[in-house]
Amino acid sequence: MEVGSNISIRNTFHIPAKARTLITYGREDVEELVTYLQHEGCGQKVLHVGAGSNLLFMGDYDGIVLCSDIREINTCGELVRVGAAWVVDDLIAWTLRNGLYGLENLSLIPGTVGAAAVQNIGAYGSEAAEFICEVETLELQTGCIRIWKPEELEYGYRKSVFKKPDMWGRYAVLSVTFRLSRTFVPKLGYGGLRNRVGTDNPTAEQVRQAVIDIRREKLPDPEVLGNAGSFFVNPVVKKEKADALKSQYPEMPSYDVENGVKIPAGWMIEQCGWKGRSLGPAAVHDRQALVLVNKGGATGEDIAHLSDAVCKAVWDKFGVEIRPEVNFI
Ligand code: EPU
């Protein structure tokens, strides 16, 4: 276990933020970590970070930041148990090399496996929850290790049991078990993907490459331009509201979902004229309006100001509330 004081916290927005204490731990450190939190760390707030790809720091973190270094990987038939510190895209490349399929459409999503299980990452018609059959957690206060089954994980669109307010900071994900398949069945239904791969019978590698190409075209590379992927979640509105909007904006894209109609926030933001616009050093990305970027030197406040302005514009024009997906820390 590595414990450091006053350490910079990595985040893909490239916003400078330091942790009072930063602890990196492996599986062998779990007991020591719990003892530390019960004694030296007692009473301090705790934040668990993965790759920092869904966080917006509003200042330094006056508490303990935890970072997993659990990198094990084991397979048993079509099950793959993966340590929380694995980078999702590295895992997907690994599964394809090992003839295990299912995760291709999630290629190039930034972040770690632990965060993917908390956030239920999704893209191009797939969601992590479809493949997760177990999540192993450590309860930080007690040291209890628990295995969560899908029916306990309360997965929904960008939602899980771990995102409930009373669960924040309580558990650390140690590993995630995915149920994959030895048979590859392409999932090309999501707009644009079938055209991009150019065949109805692609290989898994072709689908992965098509997803990577589409993402590279639309989404800014966080190495080059600070961002946290989609900044907002797509709102789900009642059917009546969607019908009213459709009659006013017949070209509006929308998707029927279980509890209503999902409207792409990126489309609404673009209609409000915010796509590509800046507010100080923060900007709405010019190729995907759902993404806010740090043009250089932005603070958390700068991004938050832009976020407020964009939400207000969408509310004023469409009467729809959009909310950040990114966690403000
Ligand atoms: N659109 C616009 N203008 C924009 C952006 C989008 O008109 O600036 C329209 C598109 O033309 C399309 C619709 O909105 O008709 C949906 O756009 P897109 O396919 O780009 O997807 P999204 O709903 O904007 C979601 C995810 C992304 C994921 C894509 C592809 C959320 C919050 N975001 O975006 O996830 O890559 O679908 O599946 O659900 C992320 O979470 O970080 C992320 C990038």
Side-chain angles (χ1 to χ4, degrees):
M1 182 166 105
E2 255 181 59
V3 182
S5 299
N6 210 20
I7 308 271
S8 291
I9 312 169
R10 64 180 169 184
N11 66 95
T12 58
F13 252 126
H14 305 314
I15 285 176
K18 286 189 169 171
R20 186 188 325 163
T21 309
L22 187 129
I23 301 181
T24 306
Y25 64 94
R27 172 148 327 248
E28 66 287 1
D29 303 320
V30 158
E31 252 179 64
E32 192 188 348
L33 172 64
V34 173
T35 307
Y36 182 96
L37 294 174
Q38 287 170 340
H39 296 92
E40 289 95 320
C42 183
Q44 291 194 50
K45 55 183 187 171
V46 176
L47 171 73
H48 203 298
V49 302
S53 54
N54 205 36
L55 302 175
L56 178 65
F57 284 98
M58 304 303 290
D60 289 340
Y61 191 77
D62 188 22
I64 300 171
V65 172
L66 299 180
C67 195
S68 169
D69 193 32
I70 303 180
R71 293 174 191 280
E72 67 213 11
I73 188 157
N74 310 293
T75 52
C76 173
E78 295 183 325
L79 301 182
V80 187
R81 192 176 82 142
V82 196
W86 267 74
V87 168
V88 170
D89 194 60
D90 292 346
L91 169 67
I92 299 174
W94 186 96
T95 58
L96 264 53
R97 280 200 306 275
N98 287 275
L100 284 160
Y101 307 111
L103 301 176
E104 316 61 60
N105 292 35
L106 305 178
S107 292
L108 212 63
I109 295 186
T112 59
V113 161
V118 171
Q119 179 67 9
N120 187 18
I121 57 167
Y124 304 102
S126 287
E127 273 186 356
E130 291 166 51
F131 307 99
I132 292 176
C133 61
E134 273 182 14
V135 176
E136 181 197 14
T137 60
L138 171 71
E139 189 169 18
L140 295 168
Q141 285 304 313
T142 63
C144 285
I145 290 185
R146 173 169 170 184
I147 307 287
W148 300 70
K149 293 288 181 190
E151 58 277 17
E152 299 170 308
L153 291 163
E154 299 179 33
Y155 279 132
Y157 168 57
R158 301 290 197 274
K159 263 196 210 142
S160 77
V161 69
F162 305 117
K163 289 185 80 177
K164 290 178 147 180
D166 57 327
M167 298 292 255
W168 265 100
R170 195 165 153 196
Y171 295 97
V173 174
L174 299 179
S175 74
V176 180
T177 304
F178 297 88
R179 185 183 300 281
L180 302 176
S181 174
R182 291 275 170 204
T183 316
F184 173 61
V185 181
K187 199 168 181 187
L188 304 176
Y190 190 91
L193 194 50
R194 177 170 276 105
N195 283 348
R196 183 56 75 110
V197 293
T199 159
D200 280 339
N201 291 306
T203 62
E205 286 73 14
Q206 283 173 312
V207 173
R208 171 167 161 77
Q209 196 53 52
V211 169
I212 289 176
D213 292 346
I214 301 176
R215 288 187 73 96
R216 285 211 170 117
E217 276 168 24
K218 282 196 186 176
L219 300 168
D221 178 354
E223 294 291 322
V224 180
L225 193 59
N227 75 91
S230 299
F231 193 88
F232 304 99
V233 255
N234 288 325
V236 174
V237 301
K238 292 212 169 82
K239 190 170 177 322
E240 303 81 71
K241 174 71 185 176
D243 288 345
L245 287 171
K246 272 266 180 204
S247 59
Q248 210 180 342
Y249 305 98
E251 73 293 357
M252 179 182 84
S254 64
Y255 314 94
D256 288 341
V257 290
E258 237 174 79
N259 46 346
V261 180
K262 195 189 273 183
I263 303 177
W267 180 85
M268 290 192 284
I269 296 167
E270 181 169 353
Q271 297 303 306
C272 292
W274 269 102
K275 192 170 185 170
R277 259 179 77 186
S278 304
L279 199 57
V284 177
H285 187 49
D286 55 4
R287 277 173 285 148
Q288 163 56 289
L290 201 53
V291 177
L292 302 189
V293 299
N294 173 2
K295 292 195 300 177
T299 60
E301 289 282 316
D302 292 324
I303 307 281
H305 274 143
L306 176 63
S307 164
D308 289 347
V310 166
C311 292
K312 183 172 182 312
V314 169
W315 174 257
D316 290 347
K317 188 170 170 73
F318 295 99
V320 174
E321 192 185 349
I322 59 167
R323 290 194 188 154
E325 179 196 323
V326 166
N327 298 312
F328 289 48
I329 307 292

